């Protein structure tokens, strides 16, 4: 059974960089039929797609966040990571990692449990 | 910036039928946007219910169905159960694999 687990600091200071890692178990991040994505949800609000990465390193970002976002992959550790720079209180959210099935379809079929990141001094 | 629109809230009686819709500011929703539907209960991660407009996962209850109708993606719940009370989100893809979520529909079973 595929599992994804987010990890990283739960508190980040304004103007600093938010860094999270998603560890994938029960499957290979190097599979050719999947991308890997980050989604976030501010408290009490809706979901926002942040970006996706392929095992080769190809990335796709939300245009509204593109200038601040970097997603990377480490196939040797079966992990992918998110960095969001120059954070403000508006970046406070639960951050989810998810698998994007991409063989004849596009579907975030498996999700991590999410991790709350609070931006505050 | 593409906007995906859903009903903010809907109410349905137990055993009833309700249809949620998902519209795109760019025009008609098509299969090429690979419409996804997710269910989210409080304190939980979203769970995928429907993909590519009408396909179900092995874990998707039979009472959930998806389609494209009238230029929108729709999610229909038939024979609603109390445990279906949740937030429902649609997701559309543009320009390859760039996704845009709808604002979500809060479904109340009352």
């Amino acid at each position: 059974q595929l599992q994804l687990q987010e990890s990283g600091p739960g508190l980040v200071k304004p103007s600093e960089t938010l860094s999270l890692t998603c560890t994938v178990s029960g499957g290979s991040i190097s599979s050719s039929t999947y991308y890997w994505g980050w989604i976030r949800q501010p408290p009490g609000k809706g979901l926002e797609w942040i970006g996706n990465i392929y095992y080769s390193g190809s990335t796709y970002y939300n245009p509204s966040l593109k200038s601040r976002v970097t997603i990377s992959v480490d196939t040797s550790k079966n992990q992918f990571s998110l960095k969001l720079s120059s954070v403000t209180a508006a970046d406070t959210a639960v951050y989810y990692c998810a698998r994007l099935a991409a063989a004849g379809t596009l579907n975030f079929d498996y999700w991590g449990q999410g991790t709350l990141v609070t931006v505050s001094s | 910036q593409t906007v995906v629109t859903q009903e903010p809230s809907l109410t349905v009686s137990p055993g009833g039928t309700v249809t949620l819709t998902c519209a795109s500011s760019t025009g008609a929703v098509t299969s090429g946007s690979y419409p996804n539907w997710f269910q989210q209960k409080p304190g939980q991660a979203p769970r995928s219910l429907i993909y590519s407009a009408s396909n179900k996962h092995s874990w998707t209850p039979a009472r959930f169905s998806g389609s494209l109708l009238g230029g929108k993606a729709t999610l229909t719940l038939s024979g609603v159960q109390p445990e279906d009370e949740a937030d429902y989100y649609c997701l559309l893809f543009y320009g390859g694999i760039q996704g845009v979520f709808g604002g979500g529909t809060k479904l109340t079973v009352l």
Side-chain angles (χ1 to χ4, degrees), chain A:
Chain A
Q1 175 77 348
L2 188 80
Q3 292 187 319
L4 297 93
Q5 179 67 57
E6 305 89 351
S7 60
L11 181 64
V12 181
K13 290 182 169 57
S15 80
E16 295 190 344
T17 296
L18 178 160
S19 296
L20 295 174
T21 296
C22 182
T23 300
V24 179
S25 59
S28 173
I29 204 170
S30 300
S31 172
S32 61
T33 55
Y34 302 107
Y35 287 77
W36 306 88
W38 288 98
I39 300 103
R40 70 179 183 178
Q41 184 172 37
K45 297 187 178 181
L47 300 168
E48 180 180 33
W49 173 74
I50 299 172
N52 300 326
I53 191 165
Y54 195 54
Y55 76 94
S56 64
S58 298
T59 52
Y60 305 83
Y61 298 138
N62 185 324
S64 68
L65 298 170
K66 188 173 183 177
S67 64
R68 299 193 292 129
V69 171
T70 302
I71 298 177
S72 59
V73 64
D74 186 337
T75 55
S76 67
K77 295 182 179 179
N78 229 34
Q79 295 177 334
F80 61 107
S81 298
L82 169 70
K83 290 188 185 298
L84 181 65
S85 63
S86 305
V87 297
T88 69
D91 295 309
T92 294
V94 175
Y95 286 76
Y96 296 101
C97 60
R99 185 179 80 170
L100 179 65
T105 186
L106 291 173
N107 173 230
F108 283 115
D109 56 356
Y110 286 92
W111 294 61
Q113 64 185 28
T115 187
L116 174 63
V117 178
T118 301
V119 178
S120 175
S121 56

Side-chain angles (χ1 to χ4, degrees), chain B residues 9-101:
Chain B
S9 64
L10 291 170
T11 300
V12 61
S13 300
T17 296
V18 64
T19 296
L20 289 65
T21 69
C22 175
S24 171
S25 63
T26 63
V29 176
T30 68
S31 58
S33 297
Y34 301 101
N36 283 207
W37 288 96
F38 301 91
Q39 178 192 65
Q40 187 180 34
K41 296 183 178 180
Q44 296 183 14
R47 178 177 73 144
S48 181
L49 293 174
I50 300 288
Y51 61 98
S52 291
S54 60
N55 292 284
K56 301 181 185 183
H57 295 283
S58 59
W59 56 78
T60 304
R63 60 185 180 275
F64 290 85
S65 63
S67 69
L68 294 174
L69 190 64
K72 298 180 181 181
T74 66
L75 176 70
T76 298
L77 289 70
S78 304
V80 172
Q81 301 297 308
E83 61 264 31
D84 297 332
E85 184 162 293
D87 293 328
Y88 292 85
Y89 293 92
C90 71
L91 169 66
L92 302 178
F93 289 92
Y94 300 89
I97 63 167
Q98 297 191 22
V100 180
F101 283 94

